[in-house]
Amino acid sequence: MRIYECVCNTPLFFDNSQCLSCSREVGWCPNCYALRALEALGNGVYCCTHPDCAAELVKCQNYQQYDVCNRMVARSEYERGFHFCDCCRCNSIIPDLSIPGAQARWSALERAKRRLFYTLDLLGLPHQSASDPCPELPLSFSFMGDAVPEGQGRWRWAGQDVVYTGHAQGNITINVREADDAERERMRVNMGEEHRTLIGHFRHEIGHYYWELLVKNRDEEACMSVFGDHRSPTYAQAMDTYYANGPAPDWRTHHVSAYASMHPWEDFAETFALYLDIVSVMDTAEGCGLCKPMKDNTLEATLGHWARLGIMLNELNRDMGLLDFAPEIIQSKVIEKLRYIDRLITQGVSVSRGTGQ
Ligand SMILES: [Zn+2]
Ligand SMILES: [Zn+2]
Ligand SMILES: [Zn+2]
Ligand SMILES: [Zn+2]
């Protein structure tokens, strides 16, 4: 993520809601698309302090009420009844806040979601909510927890005892348990995964969303030629086989992860997530001066930078006893899949973009 700057010259970080030096309130300005210090004008209205912008803004409802957001809404939009920012307006179900710890978990989910939206906007990928005019496939999020016996508090749920993280028809469900660090690490170890992160879940599930929006009935033949036929075996058959026998022994040659070897749809989502990882990290690396702005931004050049950066960061992480930063070895088959996704994103985004950007 880029690092922004307060009017007092102190760095502002993407999740900040206040400058730690001059105590000015801070918010994401949808007009200049950056994190800015705010000047209060009274009655809940603020002004963006960037001299070229000076937009009149109001805090997103989730910023005002729960402090789980740091984005602003244009005053004119707010007065037309749009009280949520471009990220929060996609929420369909939020956690049951009567449960202890729920607000902190929700906040962690929203932080990851804002980072996802930043990268989608960087790539020009559409993400329309149901409140946008004529969305082709409205994107929505349901943050739900497993039902627990009465009397112990109950996460909000939708007719099932166990909530599965996943995507269906534009709706991304994330189990709130994933926002609990200890729980998530336990699941990572149990599943034998190299990484398990909230942002990783968002990047994977949005991959399913873009398959539905950009590939389905538009580019399925080309996608199948790279990822395989998603119709045979069916998703249900592939899932049964995967959980009965485990991943194919040679999955590393063809897939970015063991899970990607389950079915072409999972392969697409896992590869899409890796693509977003790479784009996000390279943007940060450039923004922080860790690498020079790339003159040649072809996929091949980007992957070269990513490999060099990955080796360096893996060693730095090992110095600190942390998990490897970039554990995956990108084989030629995976590069072919990344190339498909790169083409889809850079040449194939033909649906209209969402508002609020
Ligand atoms: Zn400041
Ligand atoms: Zn601004
Ligand atoms: Zn918001
Ligand atoms: Zn998936």
Side-chain angles (χ1 to χ4, degrees), residues 295-355:
K295 288 194 191 83
D296 172 10
N297 60 1
T298 58
L299 180 69
E300 281 66 23
T302 306
L303 289 176
H305 283 287
W306 168 257
R308 283 190 290 280
L309 201 63
I311 290 168
M312 196 164 74
L313 294 173
N314 281 350
E315 287 307 322
L316 288 170
N317 274 16
R318 288 169 196 170
D319 281 338
M320 293 301 288
L322 298 170
L323 295 172
D324 273 4
F325 174 85
E328 58 284 289
I329 297 155
I330 304 180
Q331 307 272 12
S332 57
K333 286 276 180 199
V334 175
I335 295 178
E336 208 183 308
K337 292 171 187 177
L338 286 167
R339 195 175 292 125
Y340 173 82
I341 287 170
D342 186 57
R343 183 190 65 76
L344 190 71
I345 291 174
T346 55
Q347 296 165 30
V349 181
S350 56
V351 290
S352 58
R353 294 183 63 179
T355 58

Side-chain angles (χ1 to χ4, degrees), residues 84-201:
F84 293 101
C85 71
D86 56 339
C87 292
C88 292
R89 75 181 54 157
C90 288
N91 285 352
S92 171
I93 298 176
I94 61 161
D96 180 346
L97 298 180
S98 67
I99 295 167
Q103 191 159 334
R105 288 174 190 158
W106 182 27
S107 184
L109 286 159
E110 294 295 345
R111 281 198 296 277
K113 176 149 67 75
R114 287 196 297 277
R115 236 161 243 267
L116 170 75
F117 275 44
Y118 172 89
T119 309
L120 301 184
D121 289 340
L122 190 68
L123 291 168
L125 280 164
H127 50 82
Q128 294 162 307
S129 73
S131 60
D132 285 313
C134 312
E136 192 167 328
L137 180 67
L139 175 63
S140 63
F141 294 87
S142 298
F143 300 142
M144 300 190 292
D146 303 323
V148 292
E150 291 289 353
Q152 294 177 30
R154 197 180 177 89
W155 295 104
R156 189 162 171 185
W157 62 302
Q160 54 194 15
D161 289 335
V162 179
V163 170
Y164 292 101
T165 293
H167 166 269
Q169 284 109 40
N171 181 255
I172 290 174
T173 298
I174 309 248
N175 190 319
V176 178
R177 199 153 41 115
E178 297 287 347
D180 180 311
D181 292 341
E183 269 289 292
R184 195 179 56 253
E185 179 62 6
R186 190 183 60 76
M187 289 187 273
R188 184 188 72 77
V189 173
N190 284 349
M191 310 282 271
E193 295 169 334
E194 282 163 312
H195 281 175
R196 190 178 183 96
T197 60
L198 276 185
I199 185 70
H201 282 304

Side-chain angles (χ1 to χ4, degrees), residues 165-167 204-205 208 235 259 265-266 269-270:
T165 293
H167 166 269
H204 173 98
E205 299 308 335
H208 289 304
Y235 188 83
Y259 189 60
W265 283 339
E266 295 308 338
E270 286 285 271

